[in-house]
Amino acid sequence: GSCFVRARAIEARRRALVCLLLLAGFMGAGCKKEGTGATPATPAAAPPTQVVVVPARNQRVSEFLSLVGTLTANESVEVKAEAEGVVQEIPFQEGQVVEKGALLVKLDETKLASAVAEAEANFKLSEATFQRSVQLFKDKLISQQEYDQAAATYAVNQASLELKRRQLKDARVYAPFKGVLGARSISPGLVITRNTPLTWVIDLDPVKVEVNVPERFLSQLRIGQTVELNVAAFPGRKFKGEVYFIAPFVDTNTRTALVKARIPNPEFELKPGMFASLELTLTIKEQAVVIPEVALNQVLDGSRATIYVVDASQTVQLRKVALGVRLAGLVEVTEGLQAGENVVVEGVQKIGPGSKVKAAPKGAADPYLTNGISG
């Protein structure tokens, strides 16, 4: 038993000695390597990332306010008779274009003409009597009362004649202005009274559009501003006009102001009562800085965002910019970017501030350069 114990102790010392020798060898090798001055190898620099860049450009930009409104006629009136009588003639066609003063309706004038003839006879008699009274009064052959009575009779008959003539004139109805006639509401032989509707006269060139503009935009409104509108009857077409009226007060219920614009309508295509979607031009900037909307990296709020800008050394910079008008696929930059600076539009997921990049082959940016951006 004692021999077995000694053998195990010797084996344990041998193993410990081997471990010490191995440890010494490793330490010596490490010291030798350090003594030679060798340094660990550095990783190779990453190649530049290929991205698509587009230069910021100057462009004419208009700021629009989208509104809805209703078309109205330039002038519109329901034609009515001022006299009573029987309709004798209707010398117009429904839908006809008539000039100002054109005869529309003629009533039977027989009774009215007879009344005028009677009034003329009475007037002539009273006029002759009055002229004789003037001379007789000068010669003191009649009294003041007789003279005054002759003068009064003359004046009454004169007024009566004028009234009868006006009533005869009212038997004919004329167009108050140039326009298109509507449907007629009468037929020949119909007995009409005063204020009986006869037809409509509507001036369709130009037409007007009425819109209610929120009060916060009133400071940007002015007479002569351009308006573009479209209607459901003519999809894809735009009709242009200009503002001619801005209400001098704001409606306290809606907090809007009434604005009117005139739209040329030579072909009478636009009709009163049509619903119109329109854009009111608020401001025009001739040299606004514009970039593709896809260049926006992160929108901070409605008016600010970040973009990636590539400098002259092909290094990426993260830039905060202020945004203005948004167009179709484009956005105006009002602060933080100058025309001519290159912005990244493709490849933003693979880069960050300080990244080295290279521009994609020529032609990769063409879809963005033709998307409404022009110098």
Side-chain angles (χ1 to χ4, degrees):
S2 60
C3 291
F4 177 75
V5 172
R6 283 197 300 275
R8 292 191 64 179
I10 292 172
E11 180 63 22
R13 286 196 295 272
R14 186 180 67 78
R15 290 181 178 180
L17 181 60
V18 172
C19 290
L20 290 172
L21 291 174
L22 290 173
L23 180 61
F26 283 126
M27 293 179 65
C31 293
K32 183 177 181 181
K33 184 175 181 180
E34 184 178 355
T36 60
T39 58
T42 58
T49 303
Q50 181 173 284
V51 294
V52 178
V53 297
V54 170
R57 303 291 297 273
N58 286 125
Q59 177 176 317
R60 186 176 187 266
V61 170
S62 300
E63 183 178 1
F64 295 97
L65 175 62
S66 296
L67 300 164
V68 292
T70 302
L71 297 181
T72 63
N74 183 44
E75 301 290 351
S76 178
V77 64
E78 186 180 28
V79 181
K80 296 182 179 181
E82 293 187 57
E84 299 179 353
V86 179
V87 177
Q88 189 176 57
E89 295 181 20
I90 307 177
F92 73 85
Q93 299 294 324
E94 295 170 308
Q96 176 184 350
V97 177
V98 295
E99 298 293 330
K100 179 180 179 180
L103 179 63
L104 301 180
V105 176
K106 179 181 177 182
L107 302 181
D108 184 1
E109 301 176 348
T110 305
K111 294 180 181 180
L112 297 173
S114 298
V116 169
E118 180 182 0
E120 286 179 343
N122 292 332
F123 172 72
K124 289 180 179 179
L125 177 59
S126 61
E127 183 180 26
T129 301
F130 175 67
Q131 294 299 333
R132 287 195 299 270
S133 298
V134 171
Q135 187 60 43
L136 292 173
F137 184 71
K138 287 183 179 179
D139 296 337
K140 297 182 180 182
L141 298 176
I142 61 174
S143 64
Q144 179 71 46
Q145 181 180 1
E146 291 174 320
Y147 172 80
D148 292 341
Q149 184 175 358
T153 302
Y154 170 73
V156 168
N157 287 335
Q158 185 179 33
S160 178
L161 176 59
E162 292 176 356
L163 176 61
K164 298 301 181 181
R165 285 174 174 172
R166 176 55 193 266
Q167 290 174 343
L168 178 62
K169 183 179 179 181
D170 289 344
R172 299 189 180 194
V173 181
Y174 301 92
F177 49 80
K178 180 180 178 180
V180 180
L181 295 177
R184 65 175 183 169
S185 306
I186 57 171
S187 297
L190 179 68
V191 178
I192 64 173
T193 61
R194 289 185 178 89
N195 297 322
T196 297
L198 306 179
T199 186
W200 284 84
V201 179
I202 304 171
D203 182 4
L204 293 177
D205 185 25
V207 293
K208 300 174 183 176
V209 61
E210 298 180 355
V211 295
N212 293 306
V213 178
E215 62 177 325
R216 65 181 179 274
F217 296 108
L218 293 182
S219 62
Q220 298 174 271
L221 294 179
R222 65 184 184 278
I223 302 299
Q225 281 179 304
T226 301
V227 170
E228 287 189 354
L229 64 85
N230 56 73
V231 294
F234 302 98
R237 288 189 57 185
K238 287 188 176 295
F239 299 87
K240 293 186 178 182
E242 65 178 35
V243 173
Y244 75 93
F245 170 78
I246 301 172
F249 62 89
V250 173
D251 189 316
T252 56
N253 295 320
T254 62
R255 294 299 174 187
T256 60
L258 178 63
V259 175
K260 297 183 180 183
R262 290 190 181 97
I263 313 296
N265 188 35
E267 301 300 324
F268 303 156
E269 296 171 312
L270 300 176
K271 310 295 184 184
M274 279 184 171
F275 180 84
S277 300
L278 64 140
E279 292 182 336
L280 175 63
T281 303
L282 296 178
T283 58
I284 298 177
K285 301 177 183 179
E286 297 292 343
Q287 294 293 318
V289 178
V290 177
I291 62 174
E293 193 171 14
V294 294
L296 301 181
N297 178 42
Q298 181 183 8
V299 179
L300 304 178
D301 53 49
S303 61
R304 300 191 69 83
T306 61
I307 60 174
Y308 284 129
V309 179
V310 180
D311 62 19
S313 64
Q314 301 300 301
T315 303
V316 173
Q317 300 176 1
L318 183 64
R319 189 85 59 84
K320 288 184 179 181
V321 294
L323 306 179
V325 179
R326 291 179 182 267
L327 308 172
L330 306 174
V331 62
E332 177 196 8
V333 178
T334 58
E335 294 179 9
L337 188 69
Q338 299 294 324
E341 293 189 275
N342 290 320
V343 297
V344 180
V345 293
E346 286 187 20
V348 294
Q349 300 86 353
K350 302 178 290 184
I351 60 175
S355 298
K356 290 291 185 178
V357 296
K358 65 176 181 179
K362 185 178 180 181
D366 288 349
Y368 303 98
L369 293 175
T370 57
N371 190 19
I373 305 180
S374 60

